Amino acid sequence: MEFFIDNILYIALTLTVFTLVFFFLKNKKNKSDFRNLSKNDIEIKLRAYERLILFLERIEPVSMVNRLELHESSKDAVSSLLIKNIVLEYEYNISQQIYVSDKLWRSLELIKNKMINSVAACTKDLDSTATTDDLIKSLLDQSKKNIVIINYAKKILKEEVRYISNIR
């Protein structure tokens, strides 16, 4: 026991080095896997990234408000329709996860959930006499925060595309 306590720093350092080497080798293997992709495989992956960029654009609530005819509906109906649209867009693109990194896919899932929560929170924060226009105004105010996280996911997506595009 005394040996362990006296040498804990060395043990921690050894474990850290081992972990770093393991992750380096694992990362190197993943990069070489990309190098073995055919031109057709790379094109398929790039189309998946294109679809995911569209997905990010289409799930932003303000984008949906502009795309869908919502002004004749009640605020609760608009909220439900926006949330349903986000879920449908996600389900339509769920197969794309096999073409992208786990980091990117987790980001996309988090953004989907953030957009749903954003719409729900905007709706919940309004009083019972609020109109659809009040909801849309609230969504516009919230849009600035949404754009920041969507742009972050786009950045990750573009980095992956650049990496795949520069392999050959």
Side-chain angles (χ1 to χ4, degrees), residues 20 70 81 88 132 142 151 160 162:
L20 289 173
L70 304 173
L81 186 59
L88 289 174
T132 301
Q142 187 70 25
N151 286 340
E160 289 187 21
R162 274 190 225 96

Side-chain angles (χ1 to χ4, degrees), residues 124-146:
K124 182 183 171 204
D125 290 345
L126 297 174
D127 61 36
S128 59
T129 61
T131 65
T132 301
D133 290 336
D134 296 329
L135 175 59
I136 292 170
K137 183 183 179 312
S138 179
L139 289 170
L140 281 170
D141 293 340
Q142 187 70 25
S143 173
K144 295 172 188 101
K145 294 177 186 170
N146 295 340

Side-chain angles (χ1 to χ4, degrees), residues 81-119:
L81 186 59
L82 292 174
I83 291 170
K84 181 179 177 184
N85 199 321
I86 294 167
V87 171
L88 289 174
E89 289 289 342
Y90 175 79
E91 288 174 353
Y92 179 76
N93 289 290
I94 201 164
S95 64
Q96 303 312 308
Q97 69 183 294
I98 63 174
Y99 300 110
V100 301
S101 71
D102 291 339
K103 177 183 176 183
L104 176 60
W105 190 254
R106 280 190 304 273
S107 296
L108 295 172
E109 287 179 319
L110 289 170
I111 289 170
K112 174 208 45 134
N113 293 334
K114 171 67 174 133
M115 295 304 109
I116 290 170
N117 291 339
S118 178
V119 171

